Amino acid sequence: MARTVWDSSVGKKTVMAVSGLIMLLYLVVHMIGNLKIFFGAGEFNHYAHWLRTVGEPFMHYEWTLWIIRVVLVVAVVAHATSAYQLSRRDIRARPSKYVHKKPRAGYATRTMRWGGIILGLFIVWHILDLTTGTVHSGGFQEGHPYQNVVDTFSTWYGNVIYIVAMLALGLHVRHGFWSAAQTLGVGSRTRDRALKAVANVLALLLTAGFIAVPVGVMTGVVS
């Protein structure tokens, strides 16, 4: 039954919607946590340490964090795989271009595919920068996330990569949230306006919230 559902377009769209909402929930929580950097090094470093001790003593050190990581990896892989397979299916269904062009779609709709690629590459860079320290500038300091963040956004390329990715994220969320609602049957003629408004607000808040951190470092508010 699971195989039958996955092989159908509706099944793949449902997987995309559910996995997307899981990632969206994480992004909201992650953004709120990031904003703690404006309360100083002590507050931000304490928050980072708390993430590793959530659930203790029932859960062992970092177990909860690793569960969250595994869920996110599964969600990202499921989202990307279903998106790619749906895209290939659309191409096979219509290998030649339409004689009459379709009405011009919105900017977010037309850039969903490239936005997803940009975000996928950014996730890899972000982990190598602030989790493993592999590409980190200024000398990665284990257990000092505040200083690591300041180091990253003290470089022009760190700011450019992050801000471009967050703009792509905003466009992705704006279209993706509304599409997920339609796929899961939440949308209707009477709810569409409200859903689009929620999608716009979420996209704006996430983009502004994430970009606030590099802007804070660049302006000296965070130092």
Side-chain angles (χ1 to χ4, degrees):
M1 181 178 178
R3 180 70 183 183
T4 302
V5 172
W6 172 249
D7 286 341
S8 68
S9 294
V10 173
K12 293 183 189 298
K13 288 179 180 180
T14 301
V15 169
M16 271 193 72
V18 173
S19 59
L21 291 175
I22 290 172
M23 290 187 286
L24 179 59
L25 176 61
Y26 167 78
L27 286 170
V28 171
V29 175
H30 187 43
M31 180 202 68
I32 294 172
N34 280 4
L35 293 177
K36 285 182 174 290
I37 201 168
F38 290 100
F39 296 94
E43 181 79 12
F44 191 71
N45 290 340
H46 177 71
Y47 163 69
H49 175 72
W50 173 81
L51 289 175
R52 288 158 173 77
T53 60
V54 174
E56 288 188 345
F58 178 74
M59 300 292 284
H60 193 60
Y61 182 75
E62 286 196 344
W63 277 15
T64 303
L65 183 59
W66 273 106
I67 290 172
I68 294 171
R69 286 170 174 169
V70 170
V71 171
L72 283 173
V73 168
V74 172
V76 170
V77 171
H79 197 76
T81 302
S82 53
Y84 174 77
Q85 292 184 358
L86 282 169
S87 177
R88 297 304 301 173
R89 183 170 291 182
D90 287 344
I91 292 173
R92 287 195 301 268
R94 185 71 190 187
S96 58
K97 294 182 179 180
Y98 288 96
V99 176
H100 301 287
K101 292 183 178 181
K102 293 182 178 180
R104 190 173 182 179
Y107 185 77
T109 304
R110 291 184 286 110
T111 56
M112 281 293 283
R113 190 174 302 166
W114 282 109
I117 294 172
I118 290 171
L119 291 172
L121 294 173
F122 169 75
I123 290 171
V124 175
W125 178 85
H126 197 50
I127 291 172
L128 293 175
D129 179 32
L130 292 175
T131 301
T132 66
T134 307
V135 299
H136 185 73
S137 61
F140 184 76
Q141 300 181 51
E142 187 70 37
H144 295 83
Y146 182 93
Q147 188 58 49
N148 292 333
V149 170
V150 172
D151 287 343
T152 289
F153 297 129
S154 295
T155 62
W156 68 268
Y157 59 85
N159 288 312
V160 169
I161 292 172
Y162 193 87
I163 291 173
V164 168
M166 293 307 100
L167 292 174
L169 173 67
L171 291 172
H172 211 75
V173 168
R174 180 175 176 267
H175 178 72
F177 179 83
W178 184 82
S179 296
Q182 305 306 308
T183 298
L184 298 176
V186 178
S188 67
R189 184 173 297 179
T190 56
R191 297 178 190 150
D192 277 357
R193 182 175 295 180
L195 287 170
K196 287 181 179 179
V198 172
N200 289 335
V201 171
L202 273 173
L204 180 62
L205 288 178
L206 284 171
T207 304
F210 280 119
I211 289 179
V213 177
V215 170
V217 175
M218 284 189 287
T219 56
V221 176
V222 176
S223 62

